[in-house]
Amino acid sequence: MSALGISALKVLAALGLMLGNGVVMIYMLRKVLGHLHIRLGPMHVGWKGTLQTVMDVLKLLTKEDITPRAVDRWLFRIAPAVVFIPSLMAYAALPFSDTWRVTNLDSGLLYTFTALSLVPLGILMAGWASSNKWSLLGGMRAAAQQIAYEVPLLLSVLPIVMLVGSMNLGVIVEAQRGTVLAVIPRWFIMNPLFWPTFVLYSISALVETNQTPFDMSEAESELVGGFATEYSAMKFGLLFLSEFSNQFIVAALTVTLFFGGWTLPWVPEAVSNTFGPLTFMLKTYLVIAVMMWIRGTFPRVRIDQLMQLGWQRLIPISLAWIVISGVVIKVWS
Amino acid sequence: MSDQCEETLGVGLLCEGQHDPGTPPAGLRRAPSGVDGLSTEHLIINMGPQHPSTHGVLRMIIEVDGEEVIASEVSVGYLHRGIEKLAEHRRYDAVGTLMDRGDYVSGIMGELAFALAAEQLMEVDVPRKAHWLRSLTSELNRLASHLVWYGTFGLDTGAMGQFLYAMREREALCDILEAITGQRMMFNYVRPGGVVADLPVGVEEKIRAFLATFPTYLGEYDQLLGGNEIFQARVKGIGVIDRDMALAFGLTGANLRAAGVDFDVRKARPYAAYPELDFEVPLGTVGDAWDRYTVRMGEMAQSARMIGQLIDGMPEGDHIAKVSKIIRPAAGEVYASVESSRGETGVHLVSDGTEHPYRMHYRGPSLYAVQALEELLPGHLLGDVVMLIGSTDVMLGEIDR
């Protein structure tokens, strides 16, 4: 098969993963939130309600696509695509195993963050084009939040890049292979140097993906539906799907950067590589489960508190931590 | 600005927005903040009556500069059912069903307010047991109502976790109330002269089982929401209703007590079994949303304590006085009030000696709270608006009646 054909297949596989993931994650969210709230979640369609989300997707596909009269038609139509495409792009650099990945980018980490940072542009477009005041406020919040947290998100992971010496996500995973003293996994989360990094990264990542307690741009109790208020049918479906997709990407990055990616400690390299994709997905879903746990329990912060946290705390702390970890890494080696 | 528009719509801000957005009138309004040649405009947002966080059908018109509220106007009346007028066409024993639908989350208190007023006119001696049953159902109902407030206040802040936990306890309370009164929310239990039925067999055990677990759960719930740092950061210091403002607006209930004013109808003008009960009135200090939260949580603990006392000391005897089937009280004018979940719920009753009330006025404490909101909101952020509505615990059923 030609190189182009293989690339096309890989892109299709990423698309399939993104869509399949959306369905699985929505079901998972309903079940996790349900059990956190002492109820059962969906139970009736399919075994334990497993087909509920599939049915919901079918419902979204068959619903009338309403375009309100007052909207900016072009922006309104392309905004879901502008949200969806970068989210799909971000899958390109994720290493599911040493061989399973769309491309092997040397700047994989930077690339993924760049792709993610395009999403709020689409959200702002959606908010502006809807000519709805709630949507506009949601879009503005997304933009403000994005600018404030893009910086600490990237700064927070720099210590890892400094230690590994590469932005290639595969190389970062390889650096975490094996164990220390034959017991402790060599994951970066086990390294005290990266504990502040992990905290900074987690907070920024939750903000970047609009997760509770930072879901400012759609804050349903404040802004009704936020930027998605005027969207219906599959346009809404795309906005909704990208949100879950972004959450998956951020969780996958967390696994790659801190939890050893596709590798397993305590087992031979060959075995670990064979079960790479499975390990990777399992770890990612565990991280997602924690994010859903947070979503089910925490209240939302206020917009000014969010901005203060970003500009006055996270950015200075990440800068300081870069300096400190730089010195430590230099002295250590 | 056209007065005519304001007259027809009853809403000043919206009219200003339509006709003359450029010149802000004196008062709360601030000139738009323009940066070097860039002109900025205030946004006028219509919040409600279908907004998810306005606790029913409250409508607010809010003028915002970015996210900051500059001015606000509360527009009520979307749930008007004419309860006061309907009462004029009902017999005295049938008004209770209307009172249930005023503050529909704590119906017993509304019924009780009307029954107390009617009894003053009728000059009837209510049996001691009826007093105790009235207090018992009132406190059960207060707990149920406060649990709804606790759950929805959390939802306003964006926390979903605690809501259904509060609903679980409320479910137990609804079961108990159903066993006592035959209904979960619209009780029609308290009648002029007493209450409609005695305690059924087995309900005492139900209440004791509930009381055995409730204090632990209450502590957990307080930890779940009040112990959360984000929640504290959002609630502390916002929406300060100080003593003077609370008194000026005629606030009652937890909204008033949060400002440190020790006024509780159960203590100030005791009714039912409250003179015989041992309970404290939790007070706040500053009057911010956090104080209102702690006061309500404290009230829940006190209610549970009272329910225990009421069950232990329940007297024997009749549950209703001998009242003629068609009540024709003497002509006159009385006012009676009770401490409902939201403050002083009062009934002003005028009788002309016939079997129908000549005029019934229903004092719903939420109406006063919602007026204070209008003054409270400017200066806060949009995200705080829903928090302040939640913290004052307004109930649209009794605002619009």
Side-chain angles (χ1 to χ4, degrees):
Chain A
M1 199 185 274
S2 68
L4 195 67
I6 290 173
S7 307
L9 274 182
K10 279 180 173 172
V11 171
L12 276 181
L15 188 63
L17 176 69
M18 180 177 176
L19 298 176
N21 241 331
V23 174
V24 174
M25 278 173 66
I26 293 170
Y27 177 71
M28 184 176 158
L29 177 71
R30 286 170 156 177
K31 279 295 183 188
V32 170
L33 285 191
H35 286 280
L36 280 174
H37 296 172
I38 46 169
R39 56 192 171 86
L40 295 172
M43 283 302 279
H44 291 292
V45 190
W47 183 75
K48 301 272 179 195
T50 34
L51 293 179
Q52 183 69 56
T53 319
V54 180
M55 290 302 172
D56 286 345
V57 173
L58 288 179
K59 185 204 76 174
L60 275 179
L61 282 169
T62 52
K63 283 200 90 169
E64 186 192 354
D65 187 5
I66 302 165
T67 310
R69 208 171 352 148
V71 300
D72 185 327
R73 283 173 173 273
W74 268 108
L75 281 184
F76 188 77
R77 280 185 193 151
I78 61 171
V82 175
V83 174
F84 186 78
I85 292 170
S87 184
L88 177 62
M89 277 160 62
Y91 281 81
L94 292 182
F96 291 86
S97 82
D98 53 343
T99 48
W100 284 44
R101 62 183 107 182
V102 180
T103 55
N104 190 2
L105 276 179
D106 275 340
S107 57
L109 187 61
L110 192 61
Y111 168 82
T112 314
F113 282 145
T114 315
L116 274 185
S117 72
L118 287 174
V119 172
L121 184 67
I123 292 181
L124 185 58
M125 276 166 80
W128 178 259
S130 294
S131 52
N132 174 319
K133 290 165 182 173
W134 300 111
S135 303
L136 180 62
L137 282 168
M140 291 301 178
R141 280 184 177 188
Q145 185 174 328
Q146 175 63 33
I147 294 165
Y149 280 84
E150 189 78 334
V151 186
L153 182 67
L154 203 52
L155 289 181
S156 68
V157 295
L158 280 187
I160 292 182
V161 177
M162 287 195 291
L163 183 75
V164 179
S166 168
M167 277 205 173
N168 187 325
L169 292 172
V171 177
I172 293 177
V173 172
E174 288 294 345
Q176 300 175 64
R177 200 184 273 284
T179 51
V180 184
L181 306 170
V183 191
I184 311 163
R186 204 184 283 278
W187 298 347
F188 287 150
I189 190 67
M190 298 295 174
N191 187 341
L193 184 64
F194 295 129
W195 290 347
T197 307
F198 181 69
V199 173
L200 291 169
Y201 171 83
S202 306
I203 295 173
S204 313
L206 282 176
V207 181
E208 283 283 306
T209 50
N210 272 327
Q211 290 296 310
T212 311
F214 309 108
D215 55 341
M216 309 305 302
S217 60
E218 60 172 297
E220 78 288 336
S221 65
E222 295 160 21
L223 301 186
V224 194
F227 62 93
T229 308
E230 296 291 346
Y231 281 89
S232 54
M234 212 48 211
K235 284 207 198 88
F236 172 75
L238 285 183
L239 290 173
F240 199 56
L241 196 63
S242 342
E243 192 175 307
F244 282 97
S245 161
N246 295 342
Q247 195 182 349
F248 177 83
I249 291 159
V250 160
L253 273 183
T254 314
V255 170
T256 309
L257 293 172
F258 297 99
F259 294 94
W262 74 82
T263 64
L264 275 177
W266 319 300
V267 293
E269 198 175 319
V271 180
S272 155
N273 282 351
T274 316
F275 293 102
L278 194 67
T279 319
F280 185 81
M281 291 302 274
L282 266 179
K283 284 180 181 174
T284 307
Y285 275 110
L286 276 177
V287 174
I288 291 171
V290 173
M291 287 165 89
M292 286 173 176
W293 181 10
I294 292 173
R295 178 168 177 166
T297 8
F298 274 20
R300 183 182 304 118
V301 301
R302 204 166 51 210
I303 185 79
D304 61 324
Q305 293 165 344
L306 180 77
M307 290 297 137
Q308 273 171 13
L309 181 69
W311 291 111
Q312 297 179 1
R313 307 265 172 79
L314 293 194
I315 293 181
I317 294 174
S318 8
L319 283 172
W321 196 250
I322 289 175
V323 175
I324 296 169
S325 50
V327 171
V328 172
I329 291 167
K330 187 80 188 164
V331 171
W332 204 273
S333 61
Chain B
M1 199 188 95
S2 70
D3 291 336
Q4 204 187 347
C5 171
E6 194 169 343
E7 248 168 52
T8 27
L9 284 174
V11 174
L13 253 179
L14 194 65
C15 295
E16 282 167 38
Q18 281 171 348
H19 299 297
D20 189 13
T23 49
L28 296 164
R29 230 63 60 82
R30 199 176 62 181
S33 51
V35 188
D36 299 330
L38 278 175
S39 73
T40 59
E41 259 178 57
H42 289 168
L43 198 62
I44 291 177
I45 303 180
N46 181 43
M47 188 173 186
Q50 305 98 337
H51 189 282
S53 306
T54 50
H55 292 232
V57 285
L58 179 63
R59 180 185 177 203
M60 316 186 61
I61 298 132
I62 301 168
E63 187 176 343
V64 288
D65 180 8
E67 288 256 350
E68 193 189 345
V69 178
I70 304 296
S72 68
E73 184 153 334
V74 174
S75 166
V76 297
Y78 289 89
L79 199 58
H80 179 67
R81 290 145 299 166
I83 286 178
E84 291 180 0
K85 189 69 190 170
L86 284 170
E88 294 170 17
H89 298 273
R90 294 215 174 185
R91 295 209 311 264
Y92 279 86
D93 55 342
V95 176
T97 50
L98 293 174
M99 303 302 292
D100 279 331
R101 285 153 180 81
D103 178 355
Y104 44 78
V105 184
S106 44
I108 292 279
M109 282 82 134
E111 292 172 14
L112 184 52
F114 179 80
L116 289 176
E119 280 155 12
Q120 278 185 40
L121 286 169
M122 291 155 62
E123 288 170 356
V124 62
D125 278 329
V126 179
R128 184 154 176 265
K129 175 143 200 189
H131 280 313
W132 279 65
L133 284 172
R134 284 173 171 186
S135 277
L136 175 68
T137 44
S138 285
E139 291 314 313
L140 287 168
N141 206 191
R142 190 187 315 279
L143 268 186
S145 168
H146 276 13
L147 283 168
V148 172
W149 160 80
Y150 166 82
T152 49
F153 189 37
L155 286 182
D156 288 341
T157 67
M160 295 186 275
Q162 79 312 325
F163 177 70
L164 282 168
Y165 289 86
M167 288 297 126
R168 175 181 63 185
E169 296 328 298
R170 178 171 176 270
E171 194 60 33
L173 286 163
C174 282
D175 281 348
I176 292 168
L177 281 167
E178 187 182 3
I180 299 176
T181 69
Q183 257 285 10
R184 288 162 58 85
M185 283 175 82
M186 304 296 154
F187 311 103
N188 197 17
Y189 179 66
V190 182
R191 306 279 173 89
V195 295
V196 87
D198 203 346
L199 277 186
V201 178
V203 79
E204 197 186 314
E205 288 73 46
K206 269 190 179 177
I207 298 176
R208 284 195 199 284
F210 172 79
L211 285 180
T213 52
F214 183 73
T216 333
Y217 283 137
L218 186 64
E220 270 179 28
Y221 298 167
D222 191 25
Q223 274 301 306
L224 199 57
L225 200 58
N228 188 305
E229 207 156 311
I230 299 174
F231 178 79
Q232 289 187 12
R234 290 217 43 192
V235 168
K236 277 183 182 167
I238 68 159
V240 178
I241 305 182
D242 60 15
R243 195 192 147 85
D244 294 339
M245 184 179 168
L247 291 174
F249 273 99
L251 297 189
T252 44
N255 294 336
L256 176 67
R257 290 192 287 272
V261 183
D262 189 1
F263 175 77
D264 186 319
V265 184
R266 290 172 293 182
K267 292 271 191 198
R269 294 194 287 271
Y271 58 95
Y274 292 111
E276 300 173 64
L277 296 179
D278 174 30
F279 67 102
E280 282 151 30
V281 179
L283 292 179
T285 46
V286 200
D288 60 355
W290 174 253
D291 271 348
R292 292 196 279 279
Y293 169 84
T294 48
V295 165
R296 287 209 177 85
M297 293 310 268
E299 275 179 18
M300 279 202 250
Q302 292 300 324
S303 285
R305 203 177 132 200
M306 269 185 264
I307 293 168
Q309 294 173 25
L310 285 158
I311 277 293
D312 290 336
M314 186 61 69
E316 295 295 317
D318 288 336
H319 57 83
I320 190 160
K322 290 234 176 314
V323 178
S324 63
K325 282 220 163 124
I326 295 184
I327 300 165
R328 284 196 187 81
E333 192 173 337
V334 290
Y335 175 78
S337 64
V338 298
E339 181 72 26
S340 86
S341 319
R342 290 169 181 78
E344 180 181 349
T345 292
V347 166
H348 185 182
L349 198 58
V350 185
S351 160
D352 57 359
T354 62
E355 67 260 42
H356 307 294
Y358 178 75
R359 172 82 171 92
M360 198 259 306
H361 172 71
Y362 177 16
R363 181 203 193 274
S366 296
L367 181 63
Y368 301 81
V370 94
Q371 305 306 322
L373 270 183
E374 203 169 286
E375 189 153 311
L376 207 57
L377 293 183
H380 289 90
L381 294 178
L382 203 56
D384 289 333
V385 172
V386 290
M387 305 274 303
L388 292 180
I389 301 173
S391 78
T392 46
D393 192 19
V394 291
M395 166 53 60
L396 271 294
E398 65 172 25
I399 293 174
D400 297 339
R401 309 204 265 279

